[in-house]
């Protein structure tokens, strides 16, 4: 048993102090003690004497292995005055103020993990309960949960030849990320030592002529550990895509979070090539073939045990294969319209349209605008035991047992049109075509709708009215488009303001808002908020995304225009007259509700008057 444990056990039964007790300025030996923390909390007015005595009773029976802050946090104390709980983060932030040091909530996305292993060993970090989080030529930033224990600073400054900047972090964060970061850095170094991969493309070989060596094994223990960490880390950070991008010297690993890419880690090109091979192997792709794009998929699990599916896509680049993994959460297929961000009116109309027995429904928007989520959620709701739902996709986004899904195979001339033609002989009720790209597919979709099937598909257009003219441009006769098209749903995704840090925007320009939504005049009260930035949202001010929707319903008046005057201007004017709410106006409502910002809406939506 260590001396700290002996001291703790020897004094555990010491009676609780009276209100006359006064805290010391700092612990005698530099290490925090839960008894002193309780005294400091009372001295600072956060708790009263009764709460302090209650804290003594709870902390005295807690595990001696816990950090002093964790023992106090587990006591479940309430702050004097507002009655809010004193959790670990609140206590850590209070301690940082008392120690006159900055408070840090460790953000793994902003830690240069590759540099950590070069600053100190994991044993040294664990012994002093510290974690290096940033390093530059001027200083090294170190997080600690023992702000008064500074016996190691002089030694580290001599070794690193740079001053130490100290910050206070939660002992839970220190403990967790010390193991995670150092193990990851060690795995990368281990993989690097296993071999020095040769140039990964002809261009790279020309640039580094004469470079050769033994290629890394995709099953190397270090490579396996790095790949496993990468997936779990992406799940924790709510990433929708993982990008593995080879560069000349160091490859970049980036996550797309809330629609924005963040660089997470940089690894040597040899390690990146082995990681790509490992992932391709798990995705049942051709590991040897690196000259042409490939697609694959992997099923894995979150730390909680939930199953997650990854869709893989490779692309040959100048310095090797670029790999993108799109993360699909199976929970998206069970979300209702409200959870997807549908306003009440649009949700009701969309459900009515999808309940019709035949016709064509289109979902339009750019890549990454949530079309797949909308379609799968809709099909999941429609796929009952009484109907046959069939899809033809390229590629199959998510495997769903409730559907009959078919993959397009260009190599054997199985296109969307051929797949749709085959599905017509499978007695379907509802058909989903991944995308209408050409005249043949468009004509087959129209024929399917005319023969009594409900067809759902996607188009790439800027707004809902443009999809009508796009169908006609693909070769669908206007009278057939008029007869079969039920409606078009255009959508975008915008980032939502972080609920933890957003603040009312007193400088909000009402004139700019009115100009942005002209000629409409929203009757609701505008309550604008602005992004601020905090630890929860990684200082971006935004957390999560919400959909904006523009639903065009083909009325009798609109059908007449489609059949006889299918010009975009009259079509848009009639759709607006019929009650279509443009994307810009849908976004304005979200701004008025304080969900997002006007800047986000203007960035994501087209100008309805253009």
């Amino acid at each position: 048993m260590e001396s700290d444990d002996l001291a703790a056990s020897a004094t555990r039964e010491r009676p609780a102090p009276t209100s006359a007790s006064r805290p010391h300025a700092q612990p005698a030996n530099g290490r925090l003690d839960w008894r002193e923390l309780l005294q400091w909390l009372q001295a600072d007015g956060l708790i009263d004497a009764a709460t302090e005595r209650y804290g003594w009773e709870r902390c005295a029976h807690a595990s001696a292995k816990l950090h002093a802050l964790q023992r106090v946090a587990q006591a479940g104390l309430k702050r004097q005055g507002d009655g809010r709980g004193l959790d670990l983060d609140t206590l850590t932030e209070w301690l940082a103020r008392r120690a006159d040091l900055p408070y840090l909530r460790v953000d793994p996305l902003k830690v240069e993990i590759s540099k950590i292993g070069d600053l100190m060993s994991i044993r040294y970090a664990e012994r002093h309960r510290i974690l290096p989080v940033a390093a530059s030529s001027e200083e090294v930033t170190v997080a600690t949960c023992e702000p008064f224990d500074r016996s190691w600073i002089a030694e580290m400054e001599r070794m690193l030849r740079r001053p130490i900047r100290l910050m206070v972090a939660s002992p839970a964060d220190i403990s967790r990320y010390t193991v995670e970061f150092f193990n990851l850095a060690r795995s990368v170094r281990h993989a690097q030592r296993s071999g020095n991969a040769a140039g990964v493309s002809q261009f790279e070989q020309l640039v580094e002529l004469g470079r050769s060596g033994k290629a890394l094994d995709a099953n190397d223990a270090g490579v396996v550990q790095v790949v496993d960490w990468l997936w779990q880390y992406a799940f924790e950070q709510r990433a929708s895509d993982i990008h593995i991008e080879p560069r000349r010297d160091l490859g970049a690993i980036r996550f797309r979070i809330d629609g924005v890419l963040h660089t997470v880690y940089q690894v040597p090109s040899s390690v990146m090539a082995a990681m790509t091979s490992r992932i391709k192997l798990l995705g049942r792709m051709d590991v040897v073939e690196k000259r042409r794009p490939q697609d694959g998929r992997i099923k894995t699990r979150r730390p909680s045990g939930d199953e997650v599916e990854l869709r893989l896509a490779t692309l040959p680049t100048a310095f090797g294969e670029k790999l993108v993994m799109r993360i699909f959460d199976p929970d998206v297929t069970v979300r209702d319209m409200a959870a997807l961000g549908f306003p009440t009116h649009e949700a009701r109309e969309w459900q009515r349209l999808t309940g019709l027995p035949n016709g064509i429904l289109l979902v339009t928007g750019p890549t990454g605008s949530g079309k797949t989520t909308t379609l799968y959620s809709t099909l999941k709701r429609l796929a009952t035991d009484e109907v046959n739902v069939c899809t033809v996709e390229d590629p199959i986004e998510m495997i769903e047992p409730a559907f009959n899904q078919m993959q397009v195979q260009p190599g054997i001339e199985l296109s969307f049109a051929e797949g749709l033609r085959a599905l017509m002989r499978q007695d379907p009720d509802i058909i989903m075509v991944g995308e209408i790209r050409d005249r043949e597919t468009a004509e087959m979709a129209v024929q399917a709708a005319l023969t009594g099937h409900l067809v759902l598909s996607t188009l790439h257009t800027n707004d809902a009215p443009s999809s009508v003219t796009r169908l006609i441009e693909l070769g669908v006769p206007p009278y057939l488009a008029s007869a079969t098209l039920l409606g078009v749903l255009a959508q975008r995704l915008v980032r939502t303001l972080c609920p933890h840090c957003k603040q009312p925007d007193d400088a909000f320009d009402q004139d700019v808002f009115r100009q942005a939504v002209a000629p409409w005049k929203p009757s609701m009260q505008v309550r604008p908020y602005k992004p601020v930035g905090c630890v929860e949202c990684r200082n971006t001010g935004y957390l999560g995304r919400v959909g904006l929707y523009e639903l065009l319903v083909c009325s009798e008046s609109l059908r007449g225009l489609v059949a006889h005057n299918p010009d975009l201007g009259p079509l848009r004017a009639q759709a607006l007259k019929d009650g279509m709410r443009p994307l810009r106006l849908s976004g304005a409502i979200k701004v008025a509700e304080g969900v997002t910002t006007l800047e986000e809406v203007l960035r994501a939506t087209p100008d309805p008057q253009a």
Side-chain angles (χ1 to χ4, degrees), residues 154-331:
E155 179 184 14
M156 286 302 303
E157 288 182 335
R158 284 196 307 270
M159 292 175 57
L160 299 175
R161 297 180 180 179
R162 282 169 286 179
I164 297 292
R165 182 188 178 210
L166 205 60
M167 306 185 81
V168 179
S170 158
D173 284 351
I174 296 287
S175 176
R176 172 192 172 185
Y177 291 120
T178 297
V179 176
E180 185 174 312
F181 292 167
F182 277 95
N183 284 348
L184 177 61
R186 184 169 57 232
S187 297
V188 173
R189 287 199 302 270
H190 172 68
Q192 225 178 333
R193 288 195 298 267
S194 300
N196 185 18
V200 292
S201 69
Q202 293 181 354
F203 184 83
E204 178 74 355
Q205 289 172 356
L206 290 174
V207 172
E208 300 187 13
L209 186 64
R211 181 185 177 192
S212 62
K214 176 185 175 184
L216 288 176
D217 184 5
N219 293 316
D220 180 84
V223 174
V224 172
Q225 186 173 358
V226 170
V227 171
D228 289 342
W229 168 85
L230 180 66
W231 287 339
Q232 302 305 322
Y233 190 26
F235 301 152
E236 291 177 4
Q237 299 299 319
R238 302 179 296 103
S240 61
D241 301 85
I242 306 172
H243 291 243
I244 297 181
E245 302 175 341
R247 307 285 170 82
R248 183 186 298 275
D249 298 317
L250 292 175
I253 297 175
R254 301 198 289 172
F255 290 170
R256 185 176 295 279
I257 304 172
D258 294 337
V260 179
L261 282 170
H262 300 263
T263 299
V264 175
Y265 197 55
Q266 290 184 320
V267 298
S269 57
S270 58
V271 177
M272 177 156 287
M275 291 174 62
T276 302
S277 297
R278 168 71 179 171
I279 295 169
K280 289 173 65 178
L281 189 66
L282 295 174
R284 298 182 180 180
M285 303 161 71
D286 188 346
V287 179
V288 178
E289 180 57 72
K290 301 181 180 180
R291 299 169 298 174
R292 61 181 178 86
Q294 296 185 63
D295 294 315
R297 63 179 63 251
I298 295 174
K299 277 192 175 182
T300 184
R301 292 188 179 276
R302 298 179 184 272
S304 60
D306 298 331
E307 191 175 78
V308 180
E309 190 163 313
L310 308 176
R311 196 188 76 194
L312 317 178
T314 65
L315 180 73
T317 67
F319 297 105
E321 279 187 295
K322 181 181 187 297
L323 176 64
V324 174
M325 291 172 274
R326 173 157 288 187
I327 302 172
F328 289 104
D329 186 350
D331 290 341

Side-chain angles (χ1 to χ4, degrees), residues 479-555:
Y479 71 93
L480 288 181
S482 171
T484 56
L485 192 62
L486 300 175
V488 182
L489 179 70
Q491 64 182 75
R492 297 290 191 277
L493 290 177
V494 293
R495 293 182 293 172
T496 55
L497 286 164
C498 175
H500 302 92
C501 64
K502 69 177 184 179
Q503 295 180 1
D505 189 359
D506 298 330
F508 186 78
D509 194 330
Q510 297 286 348
D511 292 334
V512 174
F513 178 77
R514 284 191 291 268
Q515 183 179 357
V517 300
W520 296 274
K521 297 179 180 179
S523 58
M524 63 189 302
Q525 183 182 0
V526 180
R527 294 174 296 176
Y529 284 79
K530 63 182 179 180
V532 177
C534 65
V535 175
E536 297 294 334
C537 61
R538 302 177 187 86
N539 292 316
T540 63
Y542 298 94
L543 185 64
R545 289 188 290 177
V546 69
L548 305 181
Y549 300 95
E550 172 183 280
L551 181 58
L552 178 150
V553 179
C554 287
S555 63

Side-chain angles (χ1 to χ4, degrees), residues 277-578:
S277 297
R278 168 71 179 171
I279 295 169
K280 289 173 65 178
L281 189 66
L282 295 174
R284 298 182 180 180
M285 303 161 71
D286 188 346
V287 179
V288 178
E289 180 57 72
K290 301 181 180 180
R291 299 169 298 174
R292 61 181 178 86
Q294 296 185 63
D295 294 315
R297 63 179 63 251
I298 295 174
K299 277 192 175 182
T300 184
R301 292 188 179 276
R302 298 179 184 272
S304 60
D306 298 331
E307 191 175 78
V308 180
E309 190 163 313
L310 308 176
R311 196 188 76 194
L312 317 178
T314 65
L315 180 73
T317 67
F319 297 105
E321 279 187 295
K322 181 181 187 297
L323 176 64
V324 174
M325 291 172 274
R326 173 157 288 187
I327 302 172
F328 289 104
D329 186 350
D331 290 341
V332 301
T333 60
V334 296
R335 293 178 185 169
D336 57 17
M337 298 295 102
L340 295 177
F342 271 82
T344 304
H345 173 72
E346 279 79 0
R348 186 167 53 247
E349 279 296 300
W350 182 250
Q351 290 184 355
R352 183 185 68 82
L353 292 174
T354 55
L356 296 176
N358 59 277
I360 297 177
L361 285 172
L362 297 176
V363 180
T364 182
T367 301
S369 61
K371 299 188 300 295
T372 298
T373 300
T374 299
L375 283 174
Y376 271 77
S377 299
T378 301
L379 289 176
K380 181 73 173 180
R381 180 174 53 84
L382 298 175
T384 63
D385 292 338
E386 291 78 21
V387 297
N388 178 19
V389 178
C390 299
T391 74
V392 52
E393 306 172 61
D394 182 26
I396 296 175
E397 302 281 7
M398 287 180 284
I399 302 297
E400 175 52 56
F403 315 153
N404 299 293
Q405 297 171 283
M406 177 167 52
Q407 169 78 49
V408 167
Q409 301 284 354
I412 58 174
E413 298 183 355
L414 179 57
S415 62
F416 276 117
E418 286 297 324
L420 190 49
R421 186 175 289 110
L423 288 184
M424 293 284 288
R425 298 190 290 269
Q426 293 292 317
D427 186 30
D429 297 293
I430 301 171
I431 298 172
M432 194 271 277
V433 183
E435 182 182 351
I436 296 179
R437 298 175 179 172
D438 50 41
R439 176 175 182 173
E440 189 178 9
T441 306
E443 289 178 343
M444 285 301 305
V446 169
Q447 291 300 318
L450 288 173
T451 53
H453 304 90
L454 181 64
V455 180
L456 288 82
S457 189
T458 67
L459 274 179
H460 288 282
T461 58
N462 286 332
D463 57 9
S466 300
S467 298
V468 182
T469 57
R470 175 61 177 157
L471 267 185
I472 296 173
E473 289 171 359
L474 286 173
V476 176
Y479 71 93
L480 288 181
S482 171
T484 56
L485 192 62
L486 300 175
V488 182
L489 179 70
Q491 64 182 75
R492 297 290 191 277
L493 290 177
V494 293
R495 293 182 293 172
T496 55
L497 286 164
C498 175
H500 302 92
C501 64
K502 69 177 184 179
Q503 295 180 1
D505 189 359
D506 298 330
F508 186 78
D509 194 330
Q510 297 286 348
D511 292 334
V512 174
F513 178 77
R514 284 191 291 268
Q515 183 179 357
V517 300
W520 296 274
K521 297 179 180 179
S523 58
M524 63 189 302
Q525 183 182 0
V526 180
R527 294 174 296 176
Y529 284 79
K530 63 182 179 180
V532 177
C534 65
V535 175
E536 297 294 334
C537 61
R538 302 177 187 86
N539 292 316
T540 63
Y542 298 94
L543 185 64
R545 289 188 290 177
V546 69
L548 305 181
Y549 300 95
E550 172 183 280
L551 181 58
L552 178 150
V553 179
C554 287
S555 63
E556 289 302 322
S557 301
L558 192 65
R559 291 185 190 278
L561 283 176
V562 173
H564 302 100
N565 184 26
D567 291 333
L568 183 56
L571 288 175
R572 180 179 286 125
Q574 183 61 47
L576 294 173
K577 186 177 179 180
D578 292 339

Side-chain angles (χ1 to χ4, degrees), residues 579-592:
M580 182 187 77
R581 195 155 51 185
L583 286 166
R584 181 68 59 86
L585 186 58
S586 176
I589 294 173
K590 299 294 185 185
V591 173

